[in-house]
Amino acid sequence: MRTQPSEATLRRLERSSGALATQAVARMDEELSWFRAMPASQRSWVTLVAQAGIASLVEWCRNPGRPPRLTGEVFGAAPRELMQAVPLKRSVDLIKVTVEVVEDRVEQVAEPGDADRLRLTVLQFSREIAFAAAHVYASFAENRGAWDARLEALVVDALVRGDRSDELPGRAAALGWTETEPVVVLVGSAPPGEDDARAAVRRAARSLGCEVLVGVHADELVVVLGGAADLAQITSRVCREFGPGPVVLGPRVDSLAHAGESATVALAGLRAAAAWPGAPRPVEAEDLLPERALDGDPLARSALADRVVAPLQAAGAEVLETVRTVLGNGGNLEATARALFVHTNTVRYRLKRAAELTGYSATDPRGAWTLQLALALAQLEGGRSLWH
């Protein structure tokens, strides 16, 4: 007994596909409020998809054992953006409306005696195409995830290389990054399980309302953070997801276009951080200026010259000589006062002045180390006037 519609019915259905698609879209407009709110371009895509779906029904009737090739035959009629604009549940609603319209027109379309067979075939096809739609959406999500991962890796790699291309913000926007400030870069060792680490970093950052990009460069985990209301809180939380060893925070910049500058400084800090075993985690790259300078970082050497040496020179010989003498006496103020033939309070005043100018105290171990290294580098680089 024949169970499929006749060829004559299928030809009539084929000829009616345009009119049926138009009627289906009209009903969608009546019944689906979200469809009415769609832009005209997306509504026109749906019309094409509906028409392609009816054509696919005809082909499926001729080859009932073959599942509908939804990607090529149906959604191939519209851009891939349609699957982003219309989520799966709404897509099923569109299929349902289209099937209902075809069912309502079965009597007009089918040849005499063929209506029941066509109606049954339409019902079977609607079930098949609903399953096929779910598969296509799942495949699209998987492919989109893989594409996003590749794009994110390219963006982070460009930042690590110090690229300031105008294309970077656009690429990041495609990943959902919104233009925000401040932007900082956090670097450290990558833990085992690269994908799990990336996911954990994203969850941690987004739970605190922060934009985030994550990448692995060699064995280093690179995290770009944007718009953190409480930078200390977010960096403290995110650094838990790094592997063992130091985690270094680059300086703040005002946009993603300048994040390469923060990444460059953070990576220089990471290379030098081993020289400060007691560094906090995370440690700011700016706090690693002495170690970075020893490691040959020209930015760090320049910063020490500008922030330490130049202000001490400008303050005059007395302040500079007092700092040098305190450093030579291991921070002993009384010994310094005797060596300079001044009162201890004078030494304290001059050191306070030096700390105000440079941000470093000669009586603090970390500050003394920074001051001593900055002055030594200046001496090596030809600043002999510092000592005379």
Side-chain angles (χ1 to χ4, degrees), residues 59-328:
E59 182 61 26
W60 184 76
C61 289
R62 288 177 174 141
N63 300 279
R66 179 182 65 82
R69 292 200 300 269
L70 197 63
T71 303
E73 293 180 356
V74 181
F75 277 119
R80 297 282 286 178
E81 288 86 343
L82 184 61
M83 276 182 280
Q84 292 176 291
V86 183
L88 177 59
K89 183 180 182 303
R90 290 182 174 180
S91 180
V92 172
D93 290 339
L94 296 178
I95 292 170
K96 179 174 176 289
V97 171
T98 303
V99 169
E100 287 174 352
V101 167
V102 175
E103 284 181 323
D104 291 346
R105 303 297 185 275
V106 162
E107 296 292 342
Q108 294 96 316
V109 172
E111 289 285 323
D114 227 7
D116 289 342
R117 281 188 288 270
L118 179 58
R119 187 175 290 109
L120 177 61
T121 299
V122 169
L123 289 174
Q124 291 171 337
F125 177 79
S126 68
R127 186 166 57 248
E128 292 287 340
I129 204 168
F131 283 120
H135 175 75
V136 167
Y137 271 80
S139 176
F140 175 76
E142 181 179 348
N143 292 337
R144 177 58 192 262
W147 167 251
D148 284 353
R150 287 193 295 272
L151 181 58
E152 185 176 35
L154 287 172
V155 170
V156 173
D157 187 60
L159 293 176
V160 168
R161 295 196 313 269
D163 191 348
R164 291 189 59 179
S165 169
D166 293 337
E167 296 178 359
L168 284 178
R171 292 174 181 173
L175 295 167
W177 179 283
T178 57
E179 191 62 33
T180 185
E181 58 177 301
V183 175
V184 295
V185 176
L186 202 61
V187 298
S189 66
E194 179 181 316
D195 291 339
D196 291 342
R198 292 182 182 184
V201 168
R202 290 190 190 96
R203 284 195 300 270
R206 288 170 180 163
S207 69
L208 295 173
C210 190
E211 297 287 347
V212 60
L213 295 171
V214 190
V216 175
H217 183 76
D219 295 328
E220 296 159 352
L221 185 63
V222 181
V223 179
V224 184
L225 301 168
D230 186 339
L231 190 59
Q233 180 187 23
I234 185 66
T235 54
S236 175
R237 172 63 189 87
V238 170
C239 78
R240 298 180 206 166
E241 308 304 334
F242 283 77
V247 177
V248 180
L249 177 66
R252 301 185 186 201
V253 292
D254 58 7
S255 70
L256 188 66
H258 296 91
E261 300 167 16
S262 182
T264 298
V265 173
L267 289 167
L270 186 62
R271 287 191 295 271
W276 186 11
R281 178 181 157 113
V283 58
E284 293 193 25
E286 295 297 295
D287 293 337
L288 287 163
L289 282 177
E291 290 75 17
R292 288 166 49 201
L294 278 177
D295 195 44
D297 179 7
L299 292 176
R301 292 192 172 205
S302 177
L304 288 175
D306 292 342
R307 301 177 195 178
V308 175
V309 179
L312 289 178
Q313 283 181 312
E318 291 181 345
V319 172
L320 179 59
E321 184 66 12
T322 300
V323 170
R324 180 179 68 82
T325 307
V326 168
L327 295 174

Side-chain angles (χ1 to χ4, degrees), residues 17-18 20-21 45-60 68-78 98 125 129:
S17 62
L20 290 172
W45 295 344
V46 172
T47 304
L48 293 174
V49 169
Q51 190 168 350
I54 296 169
S56 181
L57 166 62
V58 174
E59 182 61 26
W60 184 76
R69 292 200 300 269
L70 197 63
T71 303
E73 293 180 356
V74 181
F75 277 119
T98 303
F125 177 79
I129 204 168

Side-chain angles (χ1 to χ4, degrees), residues 349-370:
Y349 171 78
R350 292 175 181 174
L351 292 181
K352 180 182 178 183
R353 176 65 177 153
E356 290 172 347
L357 291 170
T358 66
Y360 298 103
S361 170
T363 57
D364 169 74
R366 184 72 190 166
W369 157 241
T370 304

